[in-house]
Every structure is written in C-alpha cells, then in structure tokens.
Amino acid sequence: MTPASPTMAGNIEQTSSNANSQETDKASNKTTLVSKGMKIVHPLVNSSCIDAAIDILEAFVDFGKAMPFIAPAFVLLKVIIDVEKRAQDADAKCNDLVERITFMLGLVPSLQKIEIKPALKQIIDRINGSMKDAAALIAAYRKQSRVARRLSFSNREKFTSCAETINECCHDLLISLQIHQSLQLDILTREVPTDDEDKAAKEFVEEHGGDVQAIMHDRELVKEFASRHDLAMDDTVMEQLNTGINDAVKRNHTKLEIILRANVSAAIVNGLKDLALEMNAMDSEQKFKCVQCDKEFTNHSNGPKSCSYHRAEYDTYSRHYPCCTTSHPCQFGIHRTQHHCDYPYSNFFAHAREVTKYLDTRSEWAKVEDINLETDDFQFASVSQLLRWFSRGTPLEENTMLIMVGRLWYGNRYYFNTFTAKELEDLSRSLHISGRTLIFRTSDDENDYSSAEWILSPAGAITGVKITAKTPTSDAPCVRVCPIDMKTCTKAGDVQAVSEGGFPSYLPASPYILPSGVMFGPTLKDIQSRHVRTDFKTKTTPSLPFILKTSSSPPLMPNATFTTFSGKISVYNDSAPESSNAATITSVTAFYRVVGDSEYLPVSDCIVIGGLEAPVTVEPRKSWLLNFRVAIPQVERHNLDASWWDREFQCRHRPIRIKIVVKDVKDEECSLVLEHVFKPDSFPKRDEADIAFFTLDNPQAFRRYSISVKRGTDDDNVVQIASQYTSVKRLQKAVYEALKTGKTEIPLFLAQEFPTMWEWNSWALVDVSCRRVYAIKVMLKEGKHVRNPRIGCIGYVLCPEYGPAIAEKREIKYAEELVKLAPMQPCILPVYPQDDDYDDYRPTPVPPETTASTEASGSTVVGNGKAKPDVTVADIQARFDSIEARLEHITITLDKLVRMGTFLFVIIVIRFLF
C-alpha cells in the first residue's frame, strides 16, 4: 500500500482525534463518529441492520456529489437495501454481510477532507468492486427458494468469500485513515454466522449418508426435508439445486455494471430518492398468475402465506367444499405459477380432468389397475404421451411424457407429472448421482399401493418406466414395463407384462352343463280368439223401413279414453222412392253385453258425434250416417297391471257386443248389434342378439313378461340382463365372496320389481375351483301382492368369458343352489265362451193360410181363389235373407262336391296306374 502523504496524514490525525473523543457505550454496543458536524452511525447502533444501512444512506445522501468516484458504492447500497426490504424472511448471512458493508461505508465519509492519491483511489475501486459482488450475491441468494438456500452448502462459501473481501477493504481503509485502534473490530473478525435452518440442513444431510450432491439430486429427499421443516417445495427448487448460484451471480453482476453506468449520475443529482433500478424493477413489475388461487402476484410479494386456497373442488350438489366446513380458504402457502402434485389444491383437479377424461389429449402407452373387491378402492398407474392440455387444443410442439400414479382425489396420495426429452436427460444425470429410481409410491403397505419407477441402463440413462398396482384382494401385483427412448421422449418398444395381478380365473377342464329351466304357468298366444263377426242383421218393427249397416271396419273400435267404444252406422230408409214414407229419428240409445251373458245392459253414456239436437228425417231411399261413442260401466281391475288400457280390459277374455237402437216419432225402433274381439299387443320375442330369453305369461292380466340376456357392449360390461349391466368387477366380487363365505350362489343385485304384478332377480353361480362365474341364474315370478302364486320361471345362461385367465385347466365344481321357487298351485285356465247365437237372425214364422182370415183381412184374391196376404218390408227382407242363406248353403255344398270329385278322380287314376 502506498504511504499517505503529509496532507493526508494531517487529515487522518484530525479524524483520529475526533474518533478518540467519542464516548463508547459497551453495554449498548454503540459507537458514534463525528467529523465536521457529520454524524456517522455504526451498523450496530440500531437493532435492525437494514435500518442502520438506511441511516447511512440518508446521512450521506449528498456525499456522492462531493466525491463522485465513491458514489457507486452508495448506489449499490441502495440496491442491497431494496432487495432486503422485499425479502420475506430474515437470514443471518445476509444480515452479517449488510452489517459489514454498513460498517465499511460508515468510514468512507472521513475521506472527504483527505487528498485522494492513487493508492487511496485503488482502495475505493476495491470498495466499489466488493459492493458490486455483495449486491449481486444477495440478489441471487434472495431469488432462491428457502429449500435451495439451505441445501446449497456452497452458498456459505460465497458469503464467506465476499465477507473476507469487505474485511480487507475495511482494514486497508482504516490503516489509511489511521483510526482502526479507536474502534471495536469484532464485526470484521467474527465468522459468518449460520442460521438454525442451515444447521438443520446439515444434520439432514448427515442423517442420509452425508453426500450432499446425491441429496440435492433426489427430489423425494428434498421434498422430505421441506416437509419436515415446513418449507414450500415449488417447481424451481430442483432446478436451483442443480444449477447452483454462480450463474445467477454472474448475471446480476452484468446487470449491475449496466445500471451503474446508466444511473450513477442521475442518482447523485436526485439524492438516491427516485432511483429506478432496472434489476429490481424488472422483478417487482413482472406479474404472474397463481394456478392455485387465480390471483396475480410478483416475486417479491410471494411469501409463505401469500396464497390461500381449498384442497378440494366445490361440490355443487352439497354446496360446500369437501375438504372443510367453511367457504373460506382452508390452506395457505406460496403462490405457484405451474400446476403440480406436491399437495392437493382445488384447481389442480379441474386441470387434470381436462387431460384424463378426453381421448384426444393423450395416447396411453401402458396402464395398470387393481381393485379392492371388498372396499371398491382401486390402485392405478399409467404412462402416456401427452398430446394436448385440453380437448381440441393446440398440439404440443415437444414430445411430452405423462406419468400418473394413484387416484386423483384430494384425500389420496397421487402423482401427475410430465417430462420432456431435455428434462429426462437432466433427470438421468441426477439419478446417476442419487441412485434413487422411485418416481412415486402411494403407500408403504406392500399389499395396497401403486407406484412408478425409472429403469436405468448400466450407464445411468433412463430406458423405461415400471408401473405397479396391488390391492389386498389380489394374489400378486399387476406390473408393466414401458420402454422409453430418452433422447426423443417416445415409447421405444412393446410394453412388457411382468405380472398380471388382479383376480384371475382358471380354465375349466370340461364344458359346463347347465340344469334345465323350471316353469310354472300357461303359455298364451298374442292373437285374437276369433275374427270379429259382421253378420248381425237389422231388427226392426214392420212400420219402420230402416236398414242399419256398419260404415267402418272393424265395426266397433275402442277409444283412447277409458271404457268407451265408437263406431259408425248407416241408417237407410228402404221405402219406395215414389212414396212419401219419410222416417224421423228422435233418439239413439245403446246397450251392451259380453258374450256368454244373455241380457243386454244399458251403457253409461251414448253420444251421437255431430249431435242429435233435433229430430233427423230420412227421406225414402236416403241414408243418414250415425257416428256414435258409448261408455260402458267400469269393472274392478284388482290392480292387475298398471299398463293396461282401460278400454280393452273388460273384453280381454270374452268379446263385447254393443246394440244400437234407433227410434222414430212413433216409438217404432230398429237395432243393430256390433262386436269387438280383443286383439292383444304382440308379445315380446327373442332377438338375434339375445343369448337367453326368459318369459312368464300371466293369463289373468293377459300379459307376457320377458327378460332378455345379451353380451356386454365392451370388455368391462360382460352381460346385459334387461337394461342392466354386470361388469368384470362385479363378477370378480361374486367369486371373491364365494371363496370367502363358502356360498357359491351369489346375488348379482341385478333385479327389478313391479309391485302390482311381477318381479325378477338374478344370481351368479360360482365355480370355486376355477374361480369364475360360470352361469347366471334368472328367476321370474309373480309380485309380492299375490297371495297364492301360480306362475314362475327359473332359467340359466352360460356366462361369457371375462377378465384375465391363467392358462391352467382345473376340474369344475358346480355351485350349490339354494334359491328356488316357492310351492305353487296349479294354474287352471277357465274356459271363456267366445261366441253365442243370442244375436243371430231368426226368420219370422209365416201363419197358416185360412179363407176366413184372408177375407177378413181384405187381402188380394188371386186366380185360384186363394187370398194373397199383404207383403211388408220385413217380409221382403226376411225372404231376401232366406235366399241368401240358401245360396250360401248351395255354395258350400258345391265346394264340398268339387273337393270330393277331385278326391274320387285321384283314386281312379291311382287304380288305373296300379
């Protein structure tokens, strides 16, 4: 060091005498330096090192104007103060460095009256350089996460080196000023302090083998350290641990060079009050959006409790959060910019669902899944190629692998993470150092877990992913190995099935032979008992010349409303055209009966559609269309079937007849009978896709109940019974229950009940030897309301192949059936009459011919002297009907003769030939 000049020595002596005259209070550890009315505050005066640094900065705000060459040191002090003020936690190493810097700069104003020589100028340059190094180090250190700060043991070496540089500058400055003997120099001689968290980190490393490099590259151990000390494990921790702090210090050093060149002059003029430092301004102004709480934040505002969120998604059905009982956030932590699986938060599940529930978001390479047959819990793991983050979104530009482990639910342990080729390469180097290949495992229980782990080559490169799933009800875990090309982040070959796991079955040594079905009850036909009769004739009094004919086919139709029928009749006046014998209709009435009854009963209501408000007159040789609707009294149904149309219920066994009676003004009447024969709806029939079809006929309700059994629609749904499916899991649960309880007939809980009429149920028949459901038993029977059941059905169907099977044949063992139909009474169907001749036409008998009666009646006398009686319309109609009957008889006789002739001709030909 160059000796001081006489002028400088004089100034130094004056400063030294002023320093010696200061009062030193050892109890409060305060030292005050006074030089020309200028108050210099030692960094230990105040309880906060930042407050002391701010006092120094405010006290010498104008010092830079007098000595511009020392101004960069105060600008850098302003940078350090800004960084530390934004810091969220205290740190002993940073505080120690700030105290040393404050001590050093507290001495600098003593140079104001000293002539600056080249040697002193060199000291000042070294002070500026040490300040620049300290500011770059503190800024880089504060950007590290708290986990990275503690596990990066090299940080302490950086602070120690920087402290030594500042100490050297302080010693050189004190020697130049010749005042070192008057000050306490403990601040320069002490060691760099260590935080309690630094000690905890050192103990953690020693606890896990002492290899800090291996721990820094092991994510799970880093997460364990963070969890043990309530530190946040964010996305950048591993990157910070792997890159270290050197690169960040160099970048900050470069920024500070630019800042000093651009801002020192302005800072001196403005007194360091309005200085906008680009390095800190850039970080403070850049805003990010938190994926956990959807709020904006900056790096400097992001603290350990800045973010508040719920662990689970809001349940719109129950209208609350499942994770807690309040609408206020129940969790607090740091803001995060990227989705992660370090701990559950509500927004994650919506993000993951956008990937998992669509087919175009990923291409699955390998998957394992195992279900606990007792609790229905499952273990799951998969390896996929991520195509896009949401359905129909933009495809990813870089090959990305997605690994999922466990059920994605806030109450479970799960893993959901992606890797690119570069990340796999970096991870490979870490795995080579740490030797920890486990990616994630949901549980330490060897009987109930799912996991994923890396497969490494001898050189340490990642060559594949092994995924495993195991539940307590499985004999072995399900294991798959997916080969990976680390350089391209793609699948490198076929997936290897190491172990099937699950609940496999064995192959039967012989085909299963099912018992014959059991059925009680009759078999119905879905056709009419006979055709509707339309040969009923008009019955009329002699003085009413009406002929009634039906105008629609069928003549009588049930209406859509209950217990009503409608039809159309043409009322024709058969009087001679030249006569004036017009007939006037005054009323239309109706009666009904069912075939087999001998008496017609009045209907509940008879309505002429179109109205009969005034008498209707029908001229000779004219007709009038009678459009009617009648309602018959209802009968008690006894809840036979809720799906019955009431209009046909009363005639389901016997045809019903309606007699329409038309009267004129003289109360003369004519009538016509119309008939309706019940035609049932077509009964359900077996479809081509059915593997079994079971029916049950109810004669009382005239209904056929049926159950169809089909194969499942996919690999998971094995059988469809009616509209209900049974899955592979349900069949495996039946087998597991049979093995556990010893019962081999297990309810499938596929059933349906129609309380008013019938019900069906199903059971699985289990072969405990082959550990499989070999058949499904279906029972149909009358409903519970039936006191004395008479109809029922039991059927069997072979169960289709399902699930994994071991290629080992075993002897079959049939199930022991316990469920049977209750004893049933014989179902004897009554014989219902389907026709009678009560309404058939009977010709009116002709009275014997007598001369006296003929003369008395005034009849016309014919040539033979006999009287010819008067001919009425009814007589003519009767004669026509008789002629028609005879012609019909002749036609039938001729037809029989033709058939007999054909038969005789065939016999003659045969005799002739033989």
Side-chain angles (χ1 to χ4, degrees):
M1 182 175 178
T2 305
S5 62
T7 306
M8 180 182 295
N11 293 333
I12 290 175
E13 290 176 359
Q14 181 180 3
T15 303
S16 177
S17 70
N18 291 336
N20 291 333
S21 65
Q22 296 174 358
E23 294 182 0
T24 302
D25 188 353
K26 294 184 180 180
S28 59
N29 199 19
K30 295 181 180 179
T31 303
T32 303
L33 301 179
V34 179
S35 176
K36 299 293 183 177
M38 184 177 297
K39 183 179 179 182
I40 302 176
V41 183
H42 191 274
L44 299 181
V45 171
N46 296 325
S47 59
S48 171
C49 62
I50 298 299
D51 293 340
I54 292 174
D55 290 341
I56 288 290
L57 197 62
E58 291 177 351
F60 304 123
V61 66
D62 297 327
F63 183 72
K65 298 178 182 179
M67 303 183 68
F69 53 86
I70 200 66
F74 292 97
V75 174
L76 293 170
L77 179 60
K78 180 65 166 60
V79 171
I80 294 174
I81 292 174
D82 289 342
V83 171
E84 285 298 291
K85 286 175 67 177
R86 288 182 174 88
Q88 296 294 323
D89 58 340
D91 190 274
K93 293 186 293 295
C94 291
N95 292 343
D96 175 76
L97 199 58
V98 171
E99 289 176 354
R100 294 173 192 268
I101 291 171
T102 305
F103 179 86
M104 179 178 63
L105 293 183
L107 301 175
V108 168
S110 300
L111 302 175
Q112 195 172 14
K113 299 299 182 178
I114 298 177
E115 181 181 359
I116 304 302
K117 297 294 183 178
L120 190 58
K121 181 68 168 58
Q122 186 178 4
I123 295 175
I124 295 173
D125 290 340
R126 289 174 57 194
I127 291 174
N128 289 335
S130 65
M131 288 288 294
K132 193 184 304 179
D133 293 339
L137 176 60
I138 291 176
Y141 181 76
R142 284 301 187 182
K143 287 183 180 180
Q144 281 188 329
S145 65
R146 296 177 66 186
V147 177
R149 291 181 205 166
R150 306 312 170 191
L151 292 178
S152 297
F153 289 179
S154 60
N155 288 346
R156 179 176 174 80
E157 298 175 0
K158 297 292 183 183
F159 276 92
T160 301
S161 176
C162 193
E164 291 176 353
T165 302
I166 292 174
N167 290 349
E168 292 177 0
C169 292
C170 288
H171 283 293
D172 292 344
L173 188 61
L174 288 171
I175 291 173
S176 299
L177 297 175
Q178 297 182 2
I179 59 174
H180 59 279
Q181 69 275 13
S182 62
L183 297 177
Q184 293 180 355
L185 301 180
D186 294 343
I187 193 171
L188 301 179
T189 57
R190 69 188 183 190
E191 294 184 355
V192 175
T194 301
D195 286 292
D196 292 338
E197 292 179 345
D198 291 333
K199 296 178 182 178
K202 186 176 182 180
E203 294 175 356
F204 182 82
V205 171
E206 293 175 352
E207 179 183 342
H208 290 82
D211 189 348
V212 66
Q213 291 296 323
I215 294 177
M216 289 172 59
H217 289 82
D218 192 326
R219 182 181 179 87
E220 294 303 318
L221 286 179
V222 173
K223 287 178 63 175
E224 182 182 343
F225 172 77
S227 175
R228 183 181 298 183
H229 298 283
D230 296 328
L231 301 177
M233 177 73 178
D234 60 13
D235 313 303
T236 59
V237 170
M238 298 306 298
E239 181 180 356
Q240 292 172 354
L241 288 173
N242 293 331
T243 57
I245 201 173
N246 292 333
D247 294 338
V249 170
K250 291 179 180 179
R251 289 193 298 270
N252 290 338
H253 207 282
T254 304
K255 287 182 181 180
L256 289 172
E257 291 283 356
I258 299 173
I259 290 171
L260 291 175
R261 287 196 298 267
N263 295 304
V264 168
S265 299
I268 296 303
V269 174
N270 297 326
L272 301 177
K273 294 181 180 180
D274 300 324
L275 180 62
L277 297 179
E278 296 177 3
M279 182 179 64
N280 290 332
M282 182 183 303
D283 293 335
S284 62
E285 294 299 328
Q286 186 176 4
K287 294 182 179 180
F288 306 93
K289 188 172 183 179
C290 179
V291 297
Q292 299 174 160
C293 64
D294 295 327
K295 295 180 181 178
E296 290 187 345
F297 69 97
T298 62
N299 285 333
H300 291 100
S301 65
N302 189 14
K305 303 294 183 181
S306 300
C307 180
S308 57
Y309 55 90
H310 283 277
R311 297 176 64 230
E313 289 183 283
Y314 181 77
D315 189 345
T316 56
Y317 179 77
S318 61
R319 298 184 179 180
H320 68 82
Y321 290 91
C323 57
C324 60
T325 58
T326 176
S327 60
H328 301 290
C330 58
Q331 301 295 314
F332 302 93
I334 64 171
H335 291 295
R336 304 286 287 267
T337 59
Q338 296 179 1
H339 285 287
H340 60 88
C341 57
D342 295 336
Y343 48 81
Y345 58 96
S346 58
N347 286 352
F348 166 79
F349 302 104
H351 162 73
R353 196 163 51 247
E354 289 294 329
V355 176
T356 57
K357 73 176 182 178
Y358 297 105
L359 297 177
D360 63 338
T361 54
R362 61 193 178 105
S363 175
E364 193 170 75
W365 293 344
K367 180 181 76 171
V368 292
E369 185 175 11
D370 200 4
I371 299 175
N372 189 327
L373 300 177
E374 291 184 335
T375 63
D376 284 340
D377 294 335
F378 67 91
Q379 295 290 349
F380 167 84
S382 71
V383 182
S384 310
Q385 179 183 3
L386 183 64
L387 304 178
R388 47 182 60 83
W389 284 109
F390 53 89
S391 181
R392 301 181 182 179
T394 304
L396 300 181
E397 297 180 356
E398 189 175 7
N399 289 339
T400 304
M401 179 176 63
L402 171 64
I403 298 179
M404 294 187 293
V405 182
R407 181 189 174 197
L408 301 180
W409 178 244
Y410 81 97
N412 298 345
R413 293 192 63 192
Y414 59 83
Y415 184 82
F416 185 97
N417 204 1
T418 58
F419 300 89
T420 61
K422 183 180 183 305
E423 291 171 340
L424 288 178
E425 185 178 355
D426 295 339
L427 182 62
S428 179
R429 290 194 293 268
S430 301
L431 296 176
H432 185 65
I433 297 174
S434 66
R436 188 183 182 94
T437 58
L438 181 65
I439 301 173
F440 186 79
R441 183 179 172 118
T442 58
S443 171
D444 294 332
D445 188 350
E446 291 296 332
N447 286 323
D448 193 9
Y449 72 96
S450 54
S451 66
E453 54 186 308
W454 301 111
I455 297 178
L456 304 180
S457 67
I462 296 175
T463 59
V465 179
K466 177 183 176 182
I467 51 179
T468 307
K470 174 72 170 66
T471 59
T473 58
S474 300
D475 297 333
C478 182
V479 182
R480 297 288 186 273
V481 174
C482 181
I484 301 296
D485 185 349
M486 186 182 69
K487 295 182 179 179
T488 59
C489 194
T490 57
K491 187 172 72 167
D494 296 332
V495 176
Q496 302 174 15
V498 179
S499 174
E500 289 297 335
F503 198 80
S505 58
Y506 296 89
L507 299 178
S510 59
Y512 291 102
I513 301 176
L514 301 184
S516 300
V518 179
M519 184 170 183
F520 294 93
T523 301
L524 304 179
K525 296 181 179 180
D526 56 351
I527 59 175
Q528 285 180 303
S529 60
R530 61 172 176 82
H531 293 296
V532 177
R533 286 185 57 182
T534 59
D535 59 346
F536 299 109
K537 305 302 180 181
T538 303
K539 293 184 179 180
T540 180
T541 55
S543 61
L544 188 60
F546 279 163
I547 298 176
L548 305 182
K549 293 185 177 181
T550 60
S551 299
S552 62
S553 181
L556 194 64
M557 285 288 293
N559 286 337
T561 56
F562 59 89
T563 327
T564 62
F565 294 87
S566 63
K568 295 180 181 180
I569 294 178
S570 176
V571 182
Y572 178 71
N573 189 343
D574 197 36
S575 301
E578 63 276 4
S579 70
S580 59
N581 191 15
T584 301
I585 300 174
T586 58
S587 66
V588 177
T589 57
F591 303 86
Y592 82 98
R593 75 178 181 91
V594 292
V595 171
D597 295 346
S598 60
E599 182 182 357
Y600 273 97
L601 302 174
V603 298
S604 299
D605 193 13
C606 179
I607 300 174
V608 177
I609 300 176
L612 191 63
E613 298 177 357
V616 176
T617 301
V618 183
E619 299 295 335
R621 298 295 178 178
K622 301 294 183 180
S623 63
W624 173 63
L625 182 63
L626 172 58
N627 190 355
F628 67 91
R629 182 171 66 244
V630 296
I632 64 174
Q634 298 187 56
V635 296
E636 189 177 358
R637 289 174 44 187
H638 300 291
N639 293 325
L640 288 180
D641 197 335
S643 64
W644 258 99
W645 287 101
D646 290 335
R647 63 175 183 257
E648 294 187 273
F649 179 78
Q650 193 162 343
C651 58
R652 68 191 186 281
H653 296 307
R654 294 188 289 171
I656 193 167
R657 292 179 181 175
I658 304 292
K659 179 190 288 187
I660 303 297
V661 180
V662 179
K663 291 185 178 182
D664 67 353
V665 293
K666 297 180 181 180
D667 284 340
E668 298 288 338
E669 65 181 32
C670 65
S671 64
L672 182 65
V673 174
L674 306 177
E675 183 181 65
H676 175 72
V677 180
F678 170 63
K679 183 179 181 180
D681 294 333
S682 296
F683 289 164
K685 296 178 176 58
R686 180 168 182 163
D687 192 80
E688 293 181 358
D690 293 341
I691 59 177
F693 189 74
F694 307 108
T695 61
L696 185 69
D697 290 350
N698 188 336
Q700 184 67 16
F702 214 96
R703 283 287 184 267
R704 172 166 290 177
Y705 312 125
S706 64
I707 292 296
S708 63
V709 182
K710 294 181 172 64
R711 295 183 183 275
T713 56
D714 50 44
D715 294 338
D716 185 55
N717 293 319
V718 182
V719 176
Q720 177 187 354
I721 306 178
S723 59
Q724 304 180 36
Y725 290 90
T726 181
S727 62
V728 174
K729 180 181 74 172
R730 181 67 197 98
L731 297 179
Q732 290 177 340
K733 291 180 71 172
V735 177
Y736 182 80
E737 184 177 352
L739 293 172
K740 185 177 180 180
T741 63
K743 297 180 180 180
T744 53
E745 186 181 56
I746 307 299
L748 280 177
F749 300 107
L750 299 181
Q752 198 169 6
E753 182 178 347
F754 305 89
T756 60
M757 288 307 300
W758 70 295
E759 61 186 34
W760 67 270
N761 208 334
S762 60
W763 292 263
L765 301 182
V766 179
D767 178 0
V768 293
S769 174
C770 296
R771 296 177 48 165
R772 65 167 53 242
V773 174
Y774 68 90
I776 296 175
K777 176 180 178 180
V778 179
M779 175 187 291
L780 292 77
K781 63 179 182 177
E782 289 183 281
K784 296 178 180 179
H785 77 286
V786 180
R787 295 182 179 178
N788 300 315
R790 299 176 300 164
I791 56 177
C793 169
I794 290 181
Y796 301 88
V797 57
L798 281 173
C799 182
E801 294 294 330
Y802 67 91
I806 299 175
E808 175 186 339
K809 292 187 176 181
R810 289 187 176 183
E811 293 296 327
I812 61 177
K813 184 177 182 180
Y814 289 101
E816 180 183 356
E817 297 187 48
L818 301 176
V819 178
K820 299 179 180 180
L821 284 171
M824 293 189 175
Q825 299 178 356
C827 182
I828 301 175
L829 295 180
V831 178
Y832 296 102
Q834 297 299 310
D835 199 0
D836 58 28
D837 59 355
Y838 186 82
D839 297 306
D840 291 353
Y841 173 75
R842 294 180 178 84
T844 304
V846 179
E849 297 179 352
T850 59
T851 305
S853 61
T854 302
E855 293 176 353
S857 62
S859 299
T860 305
V861 179
V862 296
N864 59 4
K866 294 184 178 180
K868 181 180 179 181
D870 294 335
V871 180
T872 64
V873 175
D875 294 336
I876 295 174
Q877 181 65 40
R879 291 174 184 176
F880 280 140
D881 293 340
S882 178
I883 293 171
E884 288 179 1
R886 291 178 182 178
L887 290 174
E888 183 178 359
H889 179 71
I890 293 171
T891 302
I892 294 173
T893 303
L894 289 174
D895 184 54
K896 290 181 179 179
L897 289 174
V898 170
R899 288 200 296 270
M900 291 179 64
T902 304
F903 178 75
L904 291 174
F905 176 76
V906 173
I907 293 175
I908 293 170
V909 171
I910 293 173
R911 288 185 177 180
F912 176 76
L913 293 175
F914 297 100

